[in-house]
């Protein structure tokens, strides 16, 4: 699969975001491009204009780490964007091996992983892949994302819920921000794993069915999503603000373990306790919905 178009659009979009004034360059009156000219990026990176033009046209295979780093600095890429540029270059290499990614349809959590998730009792804890499938959860995460599990199709997927289910707009207190995050995670994963058919199928479905997704996808924004705060409007217990921590799993490349926690003594902590009580009662009455660790991961 050729990623030249992704390389071209990513570099072009980053160049368009930098104004000449940001770098102390004269704006001039005869500019026909948004942001910097290719010649200006080439000068800042210390490469020839001809070479940079080839790179921006997608011929990034063979570019050295030093060249990529110089381009990243010239375009003022942040850490996530720089990593994405390197991922695109790696994927373009004819000798590059695609990263090992387990299919969400066949992957199941190790018993010890489920034990670890179940040991987290005060907040939702779950494992997702770069496609944003929920692969393993504790009981509180299963209750927290109850509407995601109610969607048809498996495995439950946070991206599909955000863009294709009306409940997703109510669930996220700041839907626009949540939608931006979802797309940036998918875009970064596409750079790392351009041969992933399941990921391409998901992007195709979302692009076909959601104009909001298409618009965001075309922006080529990427980001690291490791820690921060989010506010949700849960259909059972109302508004909850949580801190989140995402941990890359060393034993399972490409998977992320995320834990939500609420400020001690806050209304959000009380809401999570109420949700845990609801889950214990609900799942006891409907055993088929209980025991996340006993359900197939995909």
């Amino acid at each position: 699969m050729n990623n030249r178009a992704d390389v071209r659009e990513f570099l072009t979009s980053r160049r368009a975001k930098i104004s000449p004034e940001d770098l102390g360059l004269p704006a001039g009156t005869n500019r026909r491009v948004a942001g910097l000219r290719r010649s200006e990026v080439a000068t800042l990176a210390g490469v020839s204009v001809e070479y940079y033009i080839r790179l921006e046209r997608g011929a990034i295979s063979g570019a050295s780490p030093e060249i990529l780093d110089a381009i990243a600095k010239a375009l003022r890429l942040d850490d996530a964007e720089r990593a994405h540029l390197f991922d695109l270059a790696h994927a373009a290499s004819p000798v590059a091996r695609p990263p090992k990614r387990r299919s969400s349809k066949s992957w199941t959590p190790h018993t010890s992983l489920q034990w670890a998730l179940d040991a987290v009792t005060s907040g939702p804890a779950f494992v997702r892949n770069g496609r944003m499938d929920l692969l393993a959860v504790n009981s509180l995460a299963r209750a927290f994302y109850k509407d995601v599990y109610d969607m048809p199709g498996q495995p439950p997927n946070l991206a599909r819920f955000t863009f294709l289910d009306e409940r997703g707009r109510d669930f996220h207190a700041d839907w626009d921000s949540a939608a931006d995050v979802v797309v940036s995670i998918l875009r970064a994963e596409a750079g790392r794993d351009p041969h992933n058919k399941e990921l391409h199928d998901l992007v195709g479905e979302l692009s076909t069915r959601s104009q909001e997704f298409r618009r965001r996808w075309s922006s080529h924004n990427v980001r690291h999503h490791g820690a921060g705060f989010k506010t949700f409007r849960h259909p059972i217990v109302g508004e909850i603000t949580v801190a989140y921590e995402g941990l890359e799993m060393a034993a399972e490349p490409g998977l992320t373990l995320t834990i939500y926690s609420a400020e001690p003594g806050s209304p959000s902590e009380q809401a999570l306790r109420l949700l845990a009580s609801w889950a214990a009662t609900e799942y006891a009455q409907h055993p088929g919905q209980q025991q996340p660790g006993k359900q197939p991961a995909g």
Side-chain angles (χ1 to χ4, degrees):
M1 187 173 297
N2 192 311
N3 71 343
R4 292 175 69 99
D6 284 340
V7 173
R8 180 179 66 251
E9 292 166 11
F10 177 67
L11 289 176
T12 301
S13 66
R14 299 312 96 172
R15 178 164 59 86
K17 285 190 170 186
I18 305 175
S19 68
E21 293 88 344
D22 291 338
L23 303 178
L25 299 174
T29 58
N30 193 31
R31 284 188 174 269
R32 292 179 294 177
V33 297
L36 296 180
R37 297 187 177 102
R38 289 171 173 170
S39 59
E40 291 166 337
V41 176
T43 298
L44 291 168
V47 300
S48 70
V49 177
E50 292 76 13
Y51 182 70
Y52 179 74
I53 289 174
R54 290 200 300 273
L55 287 180
E56 196 173 281
R57 286 176 176 171
I60 201 171
S61 175
S64 69
E66 294 76 16
I67 291 294
L68 295 176
D69 192 52
I71 297 297
K73 290 178 179 177
L75 293 174
R76 296 190 168 187
L77 303 186
D78 62 24
D79 289 344
E81 292 169 329
R82 181 182 181 278
H84 186 59
L85 177 62
F86 275 73
D87 286 337
L88 291 172
H90 178 76
S93 171
V95 296
R97 294 183 178 180
K100 185 178 180 181
R101 296 285 194 266
R102 296 181 184 274
S103 168
S104 59
K105 296 179 181 179
S106 62
W107 187 85
T108 54
H110 295 296
T111 302
S112 58
L113 172 59
Q114 191 61 54
W115 289 346
L117 291 172
D118 292 339
V120 181
T121 58
S122 61
F126 57 93
V127 174
R128 67 161 178 83
N129 56 18
R131 188 178 176 270
M132 304 203 73
D133 298 313
L134 292 175
L135 300 178
V137 296
N138 67 359
S139 60
L140 196 45
R142 174 65 176 79
F144 192 85
Y145 284 117
K146 63 178 292 295
D147 288 345
V148 181
Y149 279 86
D150 286 341
M151 288 186 70
Q154 288 291 327
N157 182 272
L158 297 177
R160 294 183 72 248
F161 177 69
T162 300
F163 284 98
L164 303 183
D165 195 309
E166 285 299 320
R167 293 172 297 180
R169 287 187 174 269
D170 295 329
F171 185 64
H172 296 284
D174 184 349
W175 185 86
D176 284 315
S177 177
D180 289 341
V181 168
V182 166
V183 175
S184 66
I185 291 174
L186 294 180
R187 176 59 81 177
E189 182 67 10
R192 284 189 295 267
D193 193 7
H195 305 280
N196 187 321
K197 184 180 183 302
E198 289 183 343
L199 177 59
H200 279 281
D201 289 347
L202 175 66
V203 171
E205 178 188 8
L206 295 175
S207 297
T208 299
R209 299 178 60 186
S210 172
Q211 181 179 354
E212 292 276 11
F213 179 85
R214 288 197 303 274
R215 178 174 61 81
R216 288 173 168 82
W217 186 253
S218 66
S219 70
H220 287 262
N221 291 332
V222 294
R223 63 172 286 171
H224 289 154
H225 192 61
F229 291 86
K230 294 181 179 180
T231 300
F232 301 91
R233 291 190 289 258
H234 195 275
I236 302 298
V237 296
E239 186 169 295
I240 305 177
T241 297
V242 297
Y244 64 89
E245 294 286 341
L247 309 173
E248 297 296 325
M249 297 176 60
E252 296 285 354
L255 301 189
T256 301
L257 167 62
T258 300
I259 299 175
Y260 291 162
S261 59
E263 180 182 357
S266 67
S268 293
E269 183 186 43
Q270 180 63 27
L272 286 179
R273 289 178 179 174
L274 290 174
L275 183 60
S277 298
W278 175 87
T281 302
E282 178 72 9
Y283 296 154
Q285 293 175 350
H286 304 89
Q289 297 181 20
Q290 197 183 6
Q291 306 294 341
K294 295 184 180 181
Q295 296 175 348

